[in-house]
Amino acid sequence: MRRPIIAGNWKMNNTKAQTYALLGELVPLVADAEAEVVVCVPYTSIWAAGEAIKGTNIKLGAENVHWADKGAFTGEISADMLLEQGVEYVIIGHSERRQYFGETDETVNKRVTTALAKGLKPIVCVGETLEERENGKVEEVLVRQTEGAFKDVVAAELDNIVIAYEPVWAIGTGKTATAQDANDTIAIIRGTIAKLYGEKNAEERVRIQYGGSMNPKNAKELMAMPQIDGGLIGGASLKAVDFS
Ligand code: 13P
């Protein structure tokens, strides 16, 4: 019903040469994957990545997109620019962007609605910080971030949008949420989608990934959970064998 989706988030890693090398190794390793496979790469690697995965089952993703068509937004990239390079998926609202680059629920929503209108598929990141978790605010934060991201998103678009639940305290730390905890927290997010779009749409059409120190050791257990539809992989996506 919900096809698993495994996406690599390379973050600020890999030059053009490294992109060719990594994807050259990855292509045969995932050729028979049952899951949808995506690599989200830095802008400067998009062209090389597109060439390296041409004709394969790996799909191309970017790590951000601006909401304006074009104009005076130094350092930003538009949806049309990404589409022209063959990009299909785009990560939006990653916690690193919320934390270091002033991303808010409102700007996340602007990027999401623009991406969808242009035909890009957003991977929208939500997740609580350690402080929010310790203060019992997990549900409040996830409901706020999810509702914020989906404002003005119509039900017809639900097949084209993926959510990544990434507890901030688990990113790059080696600490993973337990599979049960990740599953139960993702159920909260799916419940929020159900309130907005109905139970059936939430169950059948919206894929929710887990992200945060997912690796070859814990992937199987996480993927076995009924609520978890895939992974958004950081560090482990930089090694072909680990990612595959
Ligand atoms: P790590 O897998 O390195 O913890 O990163 C997760 C992440 O932020 C993916 O977007």
Side-chain angles (χ1 to χ4, degrees):
M1 210 160 52
R2 303 190 306 261
R3 186 180 177 204
I5 175 167
I6 302 287
N9 174 11
W10 287 8
K11 309 192 180 185
M12 197 172 73
N13 291 291
N14 290 328
T15 61
K16 198 167 94 175
Q18 290 165 334
T19 296
Y20 281 117
L22 175 53
L23 291 176
E25 214 186 314
L26 185 66
V27 163
L29 293 176
V30 299
D32 298 323
E34 284 169 35
E36 198 172 352
V37 182
V38 184
V39 287
C40 299
V41 307
Y43 299 131
T44 46
S45 285
I46 286 177
W47 176 254
E51 277 196 307
I53 63 179
K54 197 174 247 165
T56 75
N57 60 329
I58 304 177
K59 294 175 175 172
L60 190 55
E63 299 178 16
N64 195 13
V65 62
H66 198 260
W67 54 85
D69 270 355
K70 60 179 178 174
F73 300 102
T74 303
E76 291 289 329
I77 297 276
S78 76
D80 288 333
M81 292 168 181
L82 296 178
L83 287 162
E84 188 185 36
Q85 307 287 322
V87 169
E88 184 174 337
Y89 283 92
V90 60
I91 297 171
I92 295 176
H94 192 278
S95 62
E96 284 148 19
R97 298 217 56 88
R98 294 181 193 254
Q99 202 176 343
Y100 306 130
F101 301 102
E103 194 80 73
T104 64
D105 292 335
E106 195 187 356
T107 55
V108 166
N109 180 246
K110 286 163 87 164
R111 295 181 204 277
V112 166
T113 51
T114 300
L116 288 169
K118 290 284 185 179
L120 287 167
K121 297 175 182 165
I123 298 174
V124 186
C125 302
V126 297
E128 81 285 356
T129 63
L130 185 58
E131 195 188 350
E132 288 162 343
R133 172 158 283 252
E134 284 172 347
N135 291 331
K137 293 218 153 71
V138 175
E139 178 159 2
E140 179 188 324
V141 168
L142 294 178
V143 169
R144 193 200 73 224
Q145 290 180 343
T146 305
E147 287 180 350
F150 279 76
K151 184 173 158 282
D152 297 331
V153 173
V154 296
E157 293 283 17
L158 291 181
D159 307 293
N160 299 323
I161 183 164
V162 175
I163 301 173
Y165 166 58
E166 299 206 313
V168 178
W169 48 270
I171 296 177
T173 56
K175 285 186 202 154
T176 333
T178 64
Q180 190 63 53
D181 201 17
N183 185 75
D184 296 348
T185 312
I186 287 176
I188 296 173
I189 300 169
R190 201 177 301 285
T192 306
I193 296 296
K195 277 199 197 116
L196 295 173
Y197 300 99
E199 200 76 40
K200 191 170 155 67
N201 279 328
E203 284 300 321
E204 294 180 3
R205 297 175 58 204
V206 179
R207 292 180 292 177
I208 308 181
Q209 301 171 311
Y210 169 78
S213 298
M214 196 163 165
N215 60 44
K217 286 205 183 84
N218 58 32
K220 201 167 185 175
E221 194 191 352
L222 287 161
M223 290 299 296
M225 301 308 287
Q227 289 289 339
I228 301 179
D229 302 324
L232 186 56
I233 323 288
S237 73
L238 301 174
K239 289 194 184 136
V241 172
D242 287 357
F243 186 57
S244 69

